[in-house]
Amino acid sequence: MRKLILPVSILAVILALVVLAPVLPLADERAMDIPHRFAGPSMAHWLGQDEFGRDVLTRLIYGARASLSIAIGSALAAALIGTALGLLGGYFRGIVELFTVRAAEIILCLPPLLLALLVVTIFGAGFWPLILALTLLYTPNYARVVYAATLQVRALDFVTAQRALGTHPLKIVLRTMLPNVLPPLVVQISLVIASAIVIESGLSFLGLGVVPPTPSWGLMIRAARGAMEQAPLLLLWPSVALAGTILTFNLLCDRLQSVLDPRAVPAGGAIWLRRRRTTPIAPRIAPDQVERDHAPADLLSVAGLTISLDRPGGIGSGMELVRGVNLGLRTGETLALVGESGSGKTLTSLAVTGLLPDVLKITAGTAAYRRRDGELRDLIAEDEDGHRQLRGDEISMVFQDASAALNPVHRIGEQLTEVILAHRAIGRAAAKREAVALLGRVGIPDAERRARAYPHELSGGQRQRAMIAIAVANRPKLLLADEPTTALDPTIQAQILALIADLKRESPEMGVVFVTHNLAVVAEIADRVCVMYAGQVVEEGPVAKVFARPRHPYTVALIGSVPEGDAERLVAIPGAIPAPGHMPPGCSFAPRCDHAVAACRKAPPPEFWPEPDRRTRCLRFEEVT
Amino acid sequence: MLRYITYRSLVAVFLVWIVVTLVFLLLHLVPGDPAEVLLSQGSTAADPQAVANLRDRLGLNDPLWLQYAHHIGGILTGDLGTSFRDGAPVAGQIVQRLPRTLEVIVTAALIAVLLGVPAGTLAAIRAGGWIDNVISFLSSLALSTPVFVVGSVVILIFAQELRLVPAGGYVPFAVDPARHILLLLMPAGTVALALWAVVARMSRGSVLDVLERDYVRTARAKGLKRRRILKRHVVRNAMIPVLTVLGLEMGTLIGGTVLVEFVFNWPGLSGYLVSAVDARDYPEVVGIVMVISILFVLLNLVVDIVYAVLDPRISLTR
């Protein structure tokens, strides 16, 4: 509400001046003083005198009177009529809608100023024709806005209830609907007043609006143009008054909108586009330390990865969504990341590629990655340019929803060609040929023709195949697949999994991180599995061993929740993942765990290694079955 | 695609019919006798003989349906009647003046896009920063200052005080190209200012919206260069709604250049309209309003089709 103070107080001053004009100690707005025409500012005439020697300040204030009364008058008249039409049309729909809202919209077929001129042609210039023209002009705007709001309110439960109770429609419309459509109406009124002032002053400027000697800003500017040589200031005052008033109404409208609709919080742009580092640089780890700590994970080794919400001053800023995640990946290995939504599995994979949303920040951790040329790089410390060189080339991603992840306005072939050209020095024609071959390779029939199709012309399965083709175009060392089959139906799902397995056989070097919540998929595709819960890895090990003998109660529950046959979704485990920022002091799974003992609730359990290739975060891993 | 264009064209024809009918109704169903209204000046009553003559000339004694048929027939054959003032055919005047108005509008739109899109994109990339604030302030100011004020101030500064340019006027391109362009740039630049603000604001919002889309993340995941992502995947997509709004704004401008043409003494269609309204030259006003409205509808049709070409999804969803 504080945002409204500025525009409202300026408008209050303007309105007070306008209303109080007759009682203020002003000169007579029509009193001429020919000998002193074009006199500059003086004590008696603060803003000087015009071409007839009249007091400019007085005429400015009386001009506001004309402009504002016409603008506000017609804005309110149009609001009244338009609201009635919109409410009736929106409430009754059908034939009533045709004769109210749709009928009013016909006016929108005419350019606004033209309609006003047409009315002036018929009725002549003057105060009332202006009101009529502007009312006619703005009625459809209100009708539309109110109609849209009415449709929304109409569908709400309490309106349906009233209708069911047999309340008289007129009573519902006036008592229930009207108050609910008021917010958009108020915004619209301030918008229309500003716009009406523009048209009124424009018509007056043309000599087709307010009739002299009544003062009006448009007329004052018109007169001042003729006297530019003698008194350029005469042009300035009404111009400033006019632009200032319109600016204030526009400001009011903007502020009203942001107050009434707080959802429209301005976004922060995109940090990655700016030539700055996208992530704060964590201290680089010594390569030999990585070798020591994660010797078997020669391709990718993530250690202590922590991701927090970074919204300075915002709600929940500093909350940790991913907490100290360790995971390793060997060359040619497929690692599955499983867990419920919100477990941090997607964030972990995004962090590795530097694609985290701007509101998230990596606050700790390293991700050692061995490049093709053997160089060891910390992906967390990489800036946007460093990531850019790797992404799409050595490290690539397949996203969950291919229909959203492909650009709707570019052809499939083009979207594939550009990733090839971004990383390899080959000609456009060669890249195009390769793109077509790739589309064929991922199982898209008639690849030549399909390359010219737009994403919406392909089926869901084909879109995901195209997405995969983009990911493997440059033979990556590391492929991160984020729920690539979730949005597809089961038959297509199986085909996509088979395709990924196929591609892996072709490039045995490629390491795959497969993010999913589907355990059946894990069993089918992965060598090892990493179970995530509430931003932590709770258990990790070879798929066969983990499934045969889980070492964490959460894994047990996950396996138990898979129904016979192909499960598409996890059946709920009682309770819910604790919200970030509301983590229990001990083990984060303890509130939902049957095995939990007092010790579990006291302190977060460390990692245990029941076998050399397995780990778990459960104090009672021995007892879990 | 062809089906879509056909469909939109039919809608446009329907809208043109509505406009034509609307203008007819506005002039014939207003309370009172149009002839009397047209001839009366303020409180002085019209001369009965003149009213009768006018009724005869306007065909107001015919039954309404016949008048309507004449009205439609005239438009279909391109006959918009003759002027009250000088008896010249209205259609001829319009054909001569329309290109000059379109020239101003198209030039203004070009300037607005060339300056507005980069400004809006920059503001979006730096959202919340000082560049964003400056651009946002400038666009609010430009939107709040009516064109005739901008035009008058431009003349005051550049023509009156600095003596850099003439205060307006028109020279045919064939006679003196340099001067023609100089004279064109003043009204076009003035119109462009407000249009620039609209384009910049729309671009900013649209770019911010597109930046959140998954396909921009995909473009980044491909390792494309910033410039390419910005050009091919952000601005290219963000321009679709911006161009739509620009097209609609240009439509409004066809009738809205009245003030600019008046200020800069540019002999376009709108100036003709003002003098016709001033003289209450009925056939002229009706003719011009009709032509502008039809252009308005046609322009919206073109915008729709361009939109469908830019966004290949559209033609399927309708």
Side-chain angles (χ1 to χ4, degrees):
Chain A
M1 278 311 198
R2 272 172 44 209
K3 284 188 191 163
L4 291 176
I5 292 176
L6 181 69
V8 167
S9 47
I10 298 177
L11 287 179
V13 170
I14 295 175
L15 284 178
L17 278 176
V18 163
V19 173
L20 298 177
V23 296
L24 288 175
L26 292 167
D28 182 349
E29 88 273 16
R30 294 184 188 184
M32 299 192 194
D33 181 12
I34 305 290
H36 292 107
R37 60 201 295 250
F38 302 125
S42 63
M43 277 311 285
H45 306 282
W46 291 358
L47 298 182
Q49 286 161 278
D50 71 1
E51 73 276 17
F52 294 113
R54 296 173 296 198
D55 182 55
V56 172
L57 180 63
T58 309
R59 292 188 65 81
L60 215 51
I61 292 173
Y62 274 89
R65 218 175 146 85
S67 289
L68 287 179
S69 51
I70 290 172
I72 295 178
S74 52
L76 292 180
L80 210 64
I81 303 169
T83 306
L85 295 179
L87 277 174
L88 292 175
Y91 185 81
F92 293 105
R93 308 293 306 272
I95 188 91
V96 180
E97 182 184 323
L98 187 72
F99 282 102
T100 53
V101 183
R102 302 289 158 230
E105 278 178 347
I106 292 176
I107 289 171
L108 297 175
C109 294
L110 288 167
L113 200 56
L114 264 195
L115 186 74
L117 283 176
L118 208 58
V119 171
V120 172
T121 313
I122 298 171
F123 295 103
F127 184 86
W128 289 109
L130 274 176
I131 295 255
L132 175 69
L134 293 172
T135 305
L136 209 57
L137 202 55
Y138 293 113
T139 298
N141 292 30
Y142 288 107
R144 278 189 157 184
V145 167
V146 171
Y147 169 74
T150 306
L151 285 190
Q152 275 177 4
V153 178
R154 187 179 186 261
L156 296 178
D157 288 343
F158 60 86
V159 178
T160 320
Q162 281 188 325
R163 273 217 302 271
L165 288 172
T167 314
H168 191 275
L170 208 63
K171 202 174 161 190
I172 301 181
V173 167
L174 289 181
R175 290 268 178 84
T176 312
M177 312 284 276
L178 190 59
N180 278 295
V181 301
L182 269 181
L185 194 62
V186 171
V187 172
Q188 191 64 25
I189 289 180
S190 65
L191 197 66
V192 165
I193 292 178
S195 168
I197 295 176
V198 174
I199 294 205
E200 177 278 320
S201 61
L203 287 174
S204 300
F205 175 74
L206 290 173
L208 301 173
V210 174
V211 183
T214 308
S216 134
W217 290 341
L219 279 172
M220 289 174 81
I221 295 175
R222 179 185 169 91
R225 271 169 49 85
M228 241 182 229
E229 245 160 286
Q230 298 98 315
L233 277 182
L234 284 186
L235 181 61
L236 191 68
W237 304 125
S239 299
V240 169
L242 186 54
T245 308
I246 298 167
L247 188 64
T248 312
F249 273 107
N250 282 339
L251 186 69
L252 176 69
C253 176
D254 281 354
R255 299 271 167 99
L256 270 176
Q257 243 159 356
S258 68
V259 167
L260 294 175
D261 187 10
R263 277 170 308 158
V265 183
I271 296 169
W272 58 270
L273 265 172
R274 308 176 191 174
R275 289 219 165 265
R276 265 202 276 127
R277 286 187 174 269
T278 55
T279 46
I281 304 308
R284 242 176 210 280
I285 40 166
D288 57 312
Q289 193 197 335
V290 179
E291 310 266 4
R292 208 167 49 239
D293 291 357
H294 305 275
D298 63 336
L299 180 60
L300 174 72
S301 172
V302 176
L305 178 68
T306 302
I307 302 173
S308 318
L309 203 57
D310 179 34
R311 270 193 306 206
I315 301 158
S317 193
M319 252 168 21
E320 293 184 346
L321 303 179
V322 167
R323 304 177 292 154
V325 161
N326 299 328
L327 51 88
L329 185 71
R330 269 164 275 196
T331 302
E333 187 180 47
T334 300
L335 172 72
L337 279 183
V338 290
E340 291 165 282
S341 327
S343 61
K345 49 196 198 305
T346 296
L347 294 184
T348 303
S349 64
L350 286 176
V352 168
T353 48
L355 291 176
L356 280 177
D358 287 342
V359 292
L360 298 178
K361 204 167 79 176
I362 297 170
T363 39
T366 56
Y369 167 76
R370 178 84 62 192
R371 291 197 59 169
R372 272 197 197 119
D373 58 13
E375 190 199 343
L376 197 65
R377 297 276 278 270
D378 181 3
L379 295 179
I380 303 301
E382 215 65 67
D383 63 6
E384 179 70 15
D385 282 320
H387 273 299
R388 190 176 58 72
Q389 286 163 17
L390 296 171
R391 283 196 303 239
D393 185 20
E394 293 194 19
I395 302 177
S396 56
M397 287 202 79
V398 176
F399 296 104
Q400 173 175 351
D401 183 2
S403 53
L406 291 168
N407 191 325
V409 306
H410 295 302
R411 297 174 197 278
I412 295 288
E414 173 55 30
Q415 299 192 46
L416 189 43
T417 315
E418 71 176 353
V419 72
I420 298 172
L421 288 173
H423 299 286
R424 279 190 272 159
I426 60 170
R428 175 155 272 278
K432 265 188 183 163
R433 273 195 304 278
E434 205 176 316
V436 171
L438 265 164
L439 287 178
R441 174 65 202 86
V442 296
I444 293 182
D446 200 2
E448 188 86 38
R449 203 167 57 84
R450 286 301 188 190
R452 286 194 301 272
Y454 290 101
H456 71 270
E457 294 169 336
L458 302 184
S459 69
Q462 283 181 336
R463 277 197 289 265
Q464 193 55 284
R465 285 175 193 272
M467 194 71 229
I468 291 171
I470 290 171
V472 300
N474 292 316
R475 302 203 157 247
K477 273 192 84 183
L478 173 59
L479 179 71
L480 299 150
D482 185 7
E483 309 225 18
T485 59
T486 306
L488 305 169
D489 66 62
T491 345
I492 311 291
Q493 247 181 51
Q495 291 173 7
I496 295 289
L497 289 178
L499 171 66
I500 293 175
D502 238 28
L503 291 168
K504 269 228 65 187
R505 262 194 299 282
E506 256 172 52
S507 329
E509 298 282 276
M510 182 170 73
V512 178
V513 175
F514 200 100
V515 177
T516 180
H517 56 233
N518 189 331
L519 287 183
V521 169
V522 173
E524 193 170 325
I525 200 161
D527 303 311
R528 281 190 310 130
V529 58
C530 219
V531 181
M532 291 193 67
Y533 183 79
Q536 285 183 319
V537 174
V538 293
E539 171 158 21
E540 194 214 323
V543 171
K545 287 191 186 175
V546 171
F547 278 19
R549 172 113 206 257
R551 291 294 198 171
H552 194 285
Y554 179 62
T555 316
V556 176
L558 270 185
I559 295 170
S561 69
V562 177
E564 295 300 309
D566 267 8
E568 250 188 271
R569 281 188 176 279
L570 293 177
V571 174
I573 299 164
I577 298 187
H582 297 279
M583 286 296 163
C587 170
S588 42
F589 188 62
R592 299 166 79 183
C593 181
D594 297 334
H595 300 266
V597 293
C600 297
R601 299 195 176 87
K602 222 178 262 156
E607 285 190 344
F608 296 98
W609 298 78
E611 289 168 59
D613 57 352
R614 297 192 62 178
R615 60 183 162 130
T616 171
R617 269 189 200 274
C618 182
L619 290 173
R620 308 191 61 205
F621 69 90
E622 299 285 2
E623 291 101 77
V624 172
T625 42
Chain B
M1 193 60 175
L2 202 67
R3 252 182 61 198
Y4 176 75
I5 294 176
T6 317
Y7 168 76
R8 299 302 308 177
S9 306
L10 287 177
V11 171
V13 169
F14 175 70
L15 284 176
V16 166
W17 173 72
I18 288 199
V19 167
V20 165
T21 309
L22 187 70
V23 173
F24 175 82
L25 289 179
L26 258 173
L27 291 167
H28 290 262
L29 292 187
V30 283
D33 181 354
E36 206 164 321
V37 170
L38 286 169
L39 284 179
S40 58
Q41 286 295 339
S43 51
T44 42
D47 171 23
Q49 186 53 43
V51 171
N53 285 344
L54 186 62
R55 285 190 66 88
D56 202 39
R57 241 172 98 187
L58 290 176
L60 289 176
N61 295 324
D62 296 336
L64 204 60
W65 66 266
L66 192 64
Q67 292 181 42
Y68 184 61
H70 278 304
H71 181 77
I72 298 276
I75 288 159
L76 288 179
T77 54
D79 174 15
L80 298 173
T82 53
S83 160
F84 275 3
R85 289 184 288 181
D86 49 14
V90 174
Q93 276 284 339
I94 292 178
V95 167
Q96 196 190 353
R97 285 165 173 266
L98 182 62
R100 299 179 191 149
T101 295
L102 292 180
E103 196 183 354
V104 171
I105 294 170
V106 170
T107 312
L110 275 178
I111 299 175
V113 168
L114 287 179
L115 299 180
V117 170
T121 307
L122 189 65
I125 293 171
R126 302 276 170 173
W130 66 269
I131 294 182
D132 184 25
N133 290 334
V134 168
I135 291 174
S136 145
F137 175 74
L138 288 180
S139 65
S140 304
L141 202 61
L143 279 179
S144 301
T145 316
V147 279
F148 64 93
V149 173
V150 177
S152 301
V153 171
V154 163
I155 290 179
L156 174 64
I157 295 174
F158 293 101
Q160 185 66 40
E161 297 295 325
L162 300 176
R163 307 258 169 213
L164 289 176
V165 289
Y170 176 83
V171 174
F173 187 79
V175 174
D176 184 350
R179 196 169 171 77
H180 174 85
I181 290 172
L182 179 69
L183 287 171
L184 168 69
L185 280 181
M186 291 200 295
T190 303
V191 173
L193 190 68
L195 218 45
W196 168 83
V198 174
V199 171
R201 285 188 153 206
M202 278 294 298
S203 301
R204 178 184 183 275
S206 188
V207 165
L208 278 179
D209 180 47
V210 169
L211 280 174
E212 302 289 311
R213 300 299 173 88
D214 278 8
Y215 52 77
V216 173
R217 191 177 62 182
T218 307
R220 291 177 68 200
K222 287 174 176 177
L224 306 180
K225 293 212 168 73
R226 281 187 186 83
R227 281 186 69 90
R228 187 176 170 89
I229 300 180
L230 203 56
K231 220 172 88 187
R232 300 268 312 167
H233 294 278
V234 178
V235 175
R236 167 70 170 75
N237 290 56
M239 278 314 99
I240 296 169
V242 175
L243 288 184
T244 314
V245 169
L246 182 70
L248 299 179
E249 286 285 327
M250 280 173 73
T252 322
L253 275 180
I254 297 179
T257 46
V258 175
L259 290 158
V260 178
E261 291 185 3
F262 181 83
V263 168
F264 290 101
N265 209 3
W266 184 265
L269 194 55
S270 320
Y272 182 44
L273 177 61
V274 174
S275 69
V277 172
D278 211 24
R280 306 183 92 184
D281 192 326
Y282 173 84
E284 284 188 351
V285 174
V286 171
I288 302 166
V289 167
M290 213 69 85
V291 166
I292 292 177
S293 307
I294 291 171
L295 275 176
F296 185 55
V297 171
L298 287 182
L299 191 81
N300 285 345
L301 172 70
V302 172
V303 169
D304 273 348
I305 292 173
V306 169
Y307 190 68
V309 172
L310 287 177
D311 191 340
R313 286 168 302 176
I314 300 298
S315 42
L316 277 192
T317 47
R318 281 276 180 91

